Amino acid sequence: MPTVKGDGMRGLAVFISDIRNCKSKEAEIKRINKELANIRSKFKGDKTLDGYQKKKYVCKLLFIFLLGHDIDFGHMEAVNLLSSNRYTEKQIGYLFISVLIGANNDLMKLVIQAIRNDLAGRNPIHITLALQCVANIGSREMAEGLSVDIPKLLVSGDTIDSVKQSAALTLLRLLRSSPDSIPMGEWMSRIIHLLNDQHMGVVTAAASLIENLVKKNPEEYKGCVSLAVSRLSRIVTSSYTDLQDYTYYFVPAPWLSVKLLRLLQNYPPPEDPAVKTRLSECLETILNKAQEPPKSKKVQHSNAKNAVLFEAINLIIHMDSDPNLLVRACNQLGQFLQHRETNLRYLALESMCLLATSEFSHEAVKKHQETVITALKTERDVSVRQRAVDLLYAMCDRTNAEEIVGEMLEYLESADYSIREEMVLKVAILAEKYAVDYTWYVDVILNLIRIAGDYVSEEVWYRVIQIVINRDDVQGYAAKTVFEALQAPACHENMVKVGGYILGEFGNLIAGDPRSGSAVQFQLLHSKYHLCSPATRGLLLSAYIKFINLFPEIKHIIQDVLRSDNNMRNADVELQQRSIEYLQLSSITTADVLATVLEEMPPFPERESSILAKLKKKKPSSVPEGSEQKETTASKIPAVQMSNNVDIAPPTSINLMSQADELVSFSEAPPPSVFTFDSGPAPSAGGQSITLQGFDVGESSTDDFVDQGSPQGGSASVDLLGLGSPTQPTAPSVGSGGLLDMFDTLTSHSSAPATNGIDLGGLSGGAEEAFRKFICKNNGVLFENDLLQIGVKSEYREDLGRLWVFYGNKTTFQLNAFLVDVSTPGNLSESLSIQQKPVGGEVEAGAQVKQQFNMACVQEFAEAPVMTIQFLYSGAQQKISLKLPVVLNKYITPAEMDANTFFTRWKALNSPSQECQQIIKATSPIDHEQVKAKLIGFSVSVLEKVDPNAENFVSAGILYTRNQQVGILLRLEPNKQAQMYRLTVRASRDKVAKILCDLMQTQL
């Protein structure tokens, strides 16, 4: 309570004493009720209460409220105290309002008016009281009502330093609670100059405010970079005696230093050489000071010193441009790995995880591998051990993969349960990514299942199945290894799943050895059958029916198992159905049909690993951007040629397994259950009709089964799932550096890329393919991954165009330091003028922001601008590089003309440099309407009844550039029988025909 002259508030002191002397809760309530009645009568009956008495009674009400009792009167008297000129009365009024008046109270308008009166006054104490009240309540109504008054105080030259401090922090509070209620006025541009203020308290408060503003709109405040570097330089080069009032245990202004370093992390490295050099000197000075002997043994000194050091290292990592600083930072962190302070070891490991993703410091981080492994084994704190696992994962490459994976497997046996699942995922990813010998990869995964089977998710064992199927050279070894693993008395169910699948597919490769003959394999698998869950039993039944195809000699043994009451009358409908249908399939069909239905699974086209996607979803920060790109020759699973069998079309398959729906999953790899069919007709021997448990299997011509896209008699793949698998596995983009997910071939492919791996051109994976789709359309999704969706909408008129890019945050976290940069390769800047409007520095969770680009075509161009998006997600830097879909044909306007005019102009354009002709192989069946739609999307007209051949297309248009107009004529001659096109483009300006012909060729 405030101190006052005389007897103070004697009545309040007496009341508090009475409350303390109460012997029971009932006595306390009785005394409070008596006081409340007295106060109520005073407020209602006595109109001559002076300020002192009002203050005393309001104080009593506040004390009663703090004791936990409701107060439903006295609010107006508290508001009246705000108009007093006495400090103590005004203070009690503001205190009562801050505690007892909510944001939606009817008296808020009166409170705001009283606050505005105090802010307009010249008494700094009253102004500070008002600002404190605003900061305490921070309602939207206050933000709207005081959005002019508080910024005016902040930038005014007459405002004293203490008031500026309070104004900066109050404005920060309002921006956080109601960011859209504060108009960005002229004061916003002046606020960054507070970093140059003489008063360090003002600078410290302003730094917090500016950092908040920068996150929302970094471009608007980029002038703060040079000011922040200048102020930081003055702090780190000063002695602790120079800033005596702001030195904390011999460390000059540590809080301000941290704020400035954090502020600079919202921007890329400074472009100005002088500013960049000065910033590098500051960071070097901070690193040098960390090497100096401590000036005090107290923990406060080391905490302040290390806080500045770690924030400086974060800035060095963020800049990622100075190899010397990165290596020095790594060496400094290496000294902390064996520090006695647990928090320092934790922070050092966490920062080194980020350093490991930089090409400049990766080798320096690897030097500490032994220390990290020792920490993994000896640390008492589980959180530090988890960071050690993260660092081993980040520093792993081809040179140390086997050693790191071996150490992680060894530790996994005694690892804490809380980190086992994450460790399993990381070991599986590293083993696949850096596997040179895939027998080693198989050994690692089987060891994972043996050591931590309960923590091996379905994605992990799905993945080993994919790789074994796709590599002929490892199939025999995998079958032998899994056979030996199944002989253990205690075998995890996941091992049984892998064993059932691999032996069902490739058991014949080891059947030559009597010790692993067909009957031995079957008995080994069946000995585990009664211990497994229904889902695993279903998979084993599928393996049994595969054995009938591989080993006809044990057909009767398997049929007896299928015929047993335990299966035929099983309570589980799935197992019962499989047993009945597999039994019928093996009993009725001929050997040829059985061999076709049960043949070896085809290879899976390669996609990003679903294990990596699961790890990113589980813990985004543990997979920093770039960790998959450290090696340009990242592990790829070579595509294997599919078998030369007739492609069974979807309508001809039989559905025996109700789990088929589970197989078709877009987000994760489907379980490799062996074969699923639909209940439709299937070919039978001799064309006779047979019945399988109520399913009609009728006669069907093999002509219906040939894929229309394949030459007659060519090779095709068997599509047992009825999902239309392609005849050849899709080849991965070279150098994408990501892990691949081959099961995703069973799903429809998204129109936008789902990964941001880097291809040979330095673009994100799939960027080139997505770019080509926009040649003939203006709107759509350009890119999509787990974090971000990027959509495009555009419009063009003559030589001018506008393009809007929409960035959608798909995560539940805010994307920070969001920057978009557009570059023009080669001489494109001379041919295409681009104006880029700024985009906010943050994208809220689930939100979408829009950015506009204005383009003008100066002259013909063949290249496209490159758009680079960078942002921070969970502390990790993310980078996406895409081609901005701006192509020359967008600046064409369709032109109409009759046949005579067309051919007259056609013949006039007879110079070789004015014509380009290409013969194109059609990538899909030629459809007249689809081709017409593509030409219209290409921005040219389709002229009817001009070409003598009605099957041909002729088109015309005018290309508008800033300097001239170019006439465009196009003729497209399709040959449906040969599935070929002849495309001819003529233009009145050299080079234009070649550019447009190349663009159109990609669409055909």
Side-chain angles (χ1 to χ4, degrees):
M1 291 298 164
T3 322
V4 293
K5 294 180 181 179
D7 61 351
M9 288 188 283
R10 187 170 175 276
L12 175 64
V14 170
F15 173 63
I16 294 174
S17 177
D18 291 345
I19 293 295
R20 288 177 176 173
N21 292 330
C22 290
K23 303 297 185 184
S24 64
K25 185 67 176 176
E26 292 75 12
E28 178 183 312
I29 293 174
K30 184 177 179 182
R31 178 67 182 89
I32 287 174
N33 288 337
K34 178 181 177 182
E35 191 64 38
L36 285 175
N38 178 54
I39 296 171
R40 195 187 299 270
S41 66
K42 291 289 184 181
F43 283 165
K44 284 186 176 181
D46 193 348
K47 302 298 183 181
T48 61
L49 287 177
D50 58 16
Y52 166 77
Q53 291 175 314
K54 285 183 182 178
K55 177 186 69 172
K56 179 178 66 174
Y57 293 134
V58 167
C59 249
K60 287 183 178 180
L61 291 177
L62 187 57
F63 179 73
I64 292 170
F65 175 78
L66 295 178
L67 290 175
H69 300 271
D70 291 333
I71 300 297
D72 56 3
F73 68 98
H75 300 73
M76 192 63 204
E77 283 70 18
V79 172
N80 291 336
L81 286 176
L82 301 185
S83 59
S84 172
N85 288 324
R86 291 178 176 270
Y87 168 76
T88 53
E89 294 172 9
K90 192 180 289 286
Q91 181 197 35
I92 294 300
Y94 276 124
L95 182 60
F96 185 93
I97 288 166
S98 299
V99 175
L100 279 161
I101 294 187
N104 298 320
N105 196 289
D106 295 336
L107 296 174
M108 189 53 67
K109 289 185 179 179
L110 292 175
V111 173
I112 292 174
Q113 185 57 48
I115 291 173
R116 186 179 287 115
N117 293 338
D118 281 339
L119 294 180
R122 303 185 63 85
N123 190 326
I125 295 176
H126 293 175
I127 296 174
T128 304
L129 283 174
L131 290 171
Q132 288 173 351
C133 179
V134 174
N136 284 332
I137 299 176
S139 66
R140 174 179 290 273
E141 192 174 355
M142 278 190 168
E144 293 171 350
L146 304 170
S147 59
V148 176
D149 304 79
I150 298 175
K152 184 179 177 182
L153 275 174
L154 187 58
V155 297
S156 172
D158 299 332
T159 308
I160 66 172
D161 295 331
S162 61
V163 173
K164 281 186 180 180
Q165 283 180 265
S166 298
L169 296 175
T170 302
L171 189 56
L172 174 61
R173 167 74 167 91
L174 295 179
L175 283 170
R176 286 175 175 171
S177 61
S178 307
D180 53 339
S181 300
I182 306 292
M184 303 301 171
E186 170 268 341
W187 61 271
M188 288 296 201
S189 58
R190 296 168 57 190
I191 208 166
I192 61 173
H193 296 287
L194 289 174
L195 292 176
N196 266 341
D197 198 277
Q198 296 298 316
H199 194 277
M200 293 290 285
V202 174
V203 180
T204 305
S208 298
L209 175 61
I210 293 169
E211 184 185 5
N212 182 275
L213 294 170
V214 162
K215 286 181 178 178
K216 299 183 185 304
N217 192 353
E219 283 299 312
E220 184 76 24
Y221 304 98
K222 62 183 178 182
C224 71
V225 173
S226 58
L227 297 174
V229 171
S230 174
R231 174 61 76 172
L232 181 65
S233 176
R234 279 180 274 167
I235 293 172
V236 299
T237 56
S238 66
S239 167
Y240 67 89
T241 56
D242 297 338
L243 299 172
Q244 194 66 45
D245 291 340
Y246 287 88
T247 296
Y248 180 79
Y249 286 88
F250 304 100
V251 181
W255 284 276
L256 178 56
S257 300
V258 168
K259 288 176 187 291
L260 294 173
L261 290 165
R262 199 170 290 164
L263 173 62
L264 292 171
Q265 290 173 46
N266 292 285
Y267 291 96
E271 297 177 359
D272 187 336
V275 177
K276 188 173 183 179
T277 302
R278 193 171 187 184
L279 178 56
S280 297
E281 290 173 355
C282 289
L283 296 172
E284 285 182 359
T285 303
I286 293 172
L287 292 175
N288 291 337
K289 285 186 175 182
Q291 300 290 339
E292 296 174 359
K295 294 182 174 63
S296 171
K297 292 183 179 181
K298 293 195 174 182
V299 69
Q300 291 91 337
H301 171 71
S302 60
N303 284 348
K305 188 176 176 182
N306 291 329
V308 177
L309 173 63
F310 275 101
E311 207 59 60
I313 291 174
N314 286 340
L315 178 57
I316 292 170
I317 296 170
H318 169 76
M319 291 167 57
D320 195 22
S321 59
D322 191 327
N324 177 50
L325 284 176
L326 285 163
V327 172
R328 286 199 60 189
C330 181
N331 294 336
Q332 180 63 50
L333 291 172
Q335 297 176 19
F336 289 141
L337 291 180
Q338 296 177 317
H339 199 278
R340 60 185 180 84
E341 177 60 44
T342 304
N343 290 333
L344 281 181
R345 297 197 300 274
Y346 178 94
L347 291 171
L349 290 167
E350 188 175 49
S351 298
M352 289 184 81
C353 286
L354 298 175
L355 279 171
T357 63
S358 171
E359 58 180 324
F360 301 118
S361 55
H362 182 71
E363 290 300 320
V365 173
K366 283 169 59 179
K367 294 178 182 178
H368 303 282
Q369 179 177 319
E370 292 302 322
T371 307
V372 178
I373 290 173
T374 303
L376 179 66
K377 295 177 178 179
T378 60
E379 271 291 345
R380 288 176 296 177
D381 192 310
V382 64
S383 61
V384 180
R385 292 198 295 273
Q386 187 163 6
R387 292 287 81 78
V389 171
D390 292 343
L391 181 52
L392 286 174
Y393 175 78
M395 71 166 62
C396 188
D397 59 22
R398 286 199 186 283
T399 63
N400 59 6
E402 289 197 24
E403 183 181 356
I404 286 179
V405 168
E407 293 288 353
M408 292 176 77
L409 275 174
E410 181 183 340
Y411 174 68
L412 190 57
E413 296 193 48
S414 58
D416 296 84
Y417 295 115
S418 60
I419 64 174
R420 283 196 179 188
E421 183 180 3
E422 185 183 327
M423 282 193 69
V424 167
L425 291 174
K426 288 181 174 178
V427 169
I429 290 169
L430 294 178
E432 179 187 343
K433 185 177 178 183
Y434 299 116
V436 178
D437 178 4
Y438 277 92
T439 59
W440 172 73
Y441 170 74
V442 171
D443 288 339
V444 169
I445 300 301
L446 293 184
N447 269 332
L448 272 182
I449 297 174
R450 179 182 60 81
I451 294 170
D454 289 337
Y455 300 90
V456 175
S457 63
E458 291 182 333
E459 288 83 0
V460 174
W461 73 265
Y462 293 168
R463 191 71 179 140
V464 72
I465 296 297
Q466 296 170 9
I467 291 173
V468 170
I469 285 178
N470 276 41
R471 293 195 64 89
D472 293 335
D473 57 337
V474 81
Q475 290 165 357
Y477 179 80
K480 178 174 180 257
T481 308
V482 80
F483 176 81
E484 293 171 353
L486 286 171
Q487 292 177 340
C491 194
H492 195 273
E493 189 167 335
N494 281 337
M495 186 72 78
V496 178
K497 291 176 182 177
V498 175
Y501 197 104
I502 291 180
L503 292 178
E505 292 290 334
F506 310 114
N508 59 310
L509 300 179
I510 61 171
D513 188 336
R515 292 171 297 178
S516 56
S518 56
V520 178
Q521 289 184 41
F522 172 73
Q523 292 299 336
L524 180 61
L525 280 179
H526 195 55
S527 66
K528 314 291 182 184
Y529 185 82
H530 66 287
L531 301 172
C532 298
S533 66
T536 306
R537 291 185 187 184
L539 189 146
L540 288 177
L541 290 176
S542 298
Y544 297 168
I545 192 68
K546 281 271 189 173
F547 275 176
I548 291 178
N549 183 44
L550 294 176
F551 313 119
E553 65 272 17
I554 61 170
K555 177 178 178 179
H556 65 283
I557 300 176
I558 295 173
Q559 286 181 331
D560 288 344
V561 171
L562 294 174
R563 199 179 284 115
S564 67
D565 286 349
N566 186 38
N567 288 320
M568 295 284 278
R569 299 182 179 180
N570 197 292
D572 189 287
V573 177
E574 173 69 20
L575 294 178
Q576 185 184 122
Q577 183 179 354
R578 287 193 190 209
S579 301
I580 295 171
E581 293 177 353
Y582 287 169
L583 180 62
Q584 292 297 317
L585 182 66
S586 64
S587 303
I588 297 175
T589 57
T590 65
D592 290 340
V593 173
L594 193 64
T596 301
V597 172
L598 301 177
E599 70 172 352
E600 188 177 302
M601 288 291 286
F604 299 95
E606 301 176 357
R607 297 291 300 276
E608 181 189 6
S609 172
S610 57
I611 309 177
L612 186 61
K614 181 179 177 70
L615 180 60
K616 286 181 179 177
K617 184 176 181 181
K618 178 180 176 63
K619 189 178 178 186
S621 60
S622 71
V623 191
E625 183 68 19
S627 62
E628 292 80 54
Q629 302 163 14
K630 290 185 296 192
E631 303 216 357
T632 56
T633 58
S635 171
K636 294 285 183 189
I637 314 301
V640 183
Q641 295 297 319
M642 288 188 170
S643 55
N644 297 331
N645 293 304
V646 176
D647 187 16
I648 300 179
T652 65
S653 49
I654 321 168
N655 185 8
L656 298 180
M657 297 166 71
S658 64
Q659 288 179 340
D661 292 339
E662 297 176 14
L663 289 172
V664 190
S665 167
F666 184 78
S667 60
E668 58 185 23
S673 300
V674 188
F675 12 76
T676 61
F677 315 98
D678 273 338
S679 56
S684 63
Q688 297 177 357
S689 178
I690 57 177
T691 302
L692 297 183
Q693 287 301 106
F695 293 113
D696 272 340
V697 183
E699 191 175 0
S700 182
S701 167
T702 55
D703 292 340
D704 297 334
F705 306 150
V706 179
D707 186 356
Q708 295 180 356
S710 304
Q712 185 71 18
S715 66
S717 64
V718 173
D719 181 11
L720 295 177
L721 290 171
L723 297 171
S725 302
T727 59
Q728 284 286 12
T730 306
S733 58
V734 180
S736 66
L739 296 174
L740 308 170
D741 188 355
M742 297 168 284
F743 267 77
D744 279 351
T745 185
L746 302 181
T747 68
S748 59
H749 294 284
S750 146
S751 63
T755 176
N756 57 343
I758 303 300
D759 62 23
L760 282 179
L763 301 174
S764 296
E768 190 68 43
E769 179 186 356
F771 168 79
R772 285 198 295 268
K773 292 179 181 178
F774 280 82
I775 292 176
C776 287
K777 68 176 186 177
N778 290 339
N779 307 328
V781 176
L782 180 63
F783 176 87
E784 186 169 6
N785 64 7
D786 293 337
L787 308 180
L788 194 68
Q789 183 187 67
I790 302 176
V792 170
K793 180 180 179 183
S794 59
E795 61 180 24
Y796 296 84
R797 177 178 296 178
E798 297 184 351
D799 64 323
L800 302 176
R802 286 191 299 181
L803 184 143
W804 293 271
V805 181
F806 300 84
Y807 308 97
N809 182 358
K810 297 173 61 178
T811 73
T812 56
F813 299 93
Q814 187 181 70
L815 305 183
N816 296 318
F818 196 90
L819 293 175
V820 179
D821 180 60
V822 174
S823 59
T824 48
N827 297 323
L828 181 59
S829 58
E830 300 173 6
S831 305
L832 184 67
S833 171
I834 301 179
Q835 292 182 345
Q836 172 186 353
K837 294 196 175 180
V839 65
E842 292 178 346
V843 183
E844 299 292 339
Q848 183 186 78
V849 296
K850 179 174 70 173
Q851 185 177 25
Q852 181 176 330
F853 297 85
N854 296 325
M855 296 87 59
C857 180
V858 181
Q859 60 186 22
E860 70 276 4
F861 59 95
E863 294 290 329
V866 175
M867 176 172 65
T868 303
I869 302 107
Q870 299 184 68
F871 56 90
L872 291 175
Y873 173 69
S874 293
Q877 181 72 31
Q878 308 289 327
K879 182 177 180 181
I880 300 168
S881 295
L882 307 169
K883 279 189 175 181
L884 202 62
V886 183
V887 285
L888 187 62
N889 63 287
K890 300 293 185 183
Y891 296 93
I892 296 176
T893 299
E896 298 292 335
M897 58 184 71
D898 56 23
N900 291 334
T901 306
F902 180 88
F903 285 107
T904 300
R905 296 184 181 179
W906 182 267
K907 292 174 183 177
L909 300 173
N910 54 11
S911 170
S913 62
Q914 294 177 324
E915 180 186 277
C916 179
Q917 188 176 91
Q918 292 187 18
I919 305 298
I920 305 166
K921 173 69 176 176
T923 56
S924 59
I926 296 176
D927 181 273
H928 189 278
E929 291 302 319
Q930 287 184 6
V931 175
K932 181 178 178 181
K934 287 182 178 179
L935 288 170
I936 294 173
F938 199 70
S939 303
V940 293
S941 61
V942 177
L943 305 178
E944 305 287 351
K945 299 179 181 179
V946 170
D947 196 291
N949 186 343
E951 293 297 317
N952 294 347
F953 296 87
V954 290
S955 302
I958 301 172
L959 172 64
Y960 286 86
T961 69
R962 182 179 295 173
N963 302 326
Q964 66 179 116
Q965 298 177 12
V966 182
I968 308 294
L969 299 177
L970 181 149
R971 190 180 190 193
L972 183 64
E973 300 165 84
N975 185 333
K976 290 187 178 180
Q977 186 175 3
Q979 287 291 296
M980 308 280 281
Y981 296 96
R982 180 164 67 183
L983 172 65
T984 309
V985 180
R986 293 186 178 181
S988 60
R989 180 173 168 85
D990 296 350
K991 300 181 183 178
V992 171
K994 176 70 169 64
I995 295 171
L996 294 177
C997 196
D998 290 342
L999 288 171
M1000 192 64 203
Q1001 178 262 337
T1002 65
Q1003 305 301 298
L1004 299 175

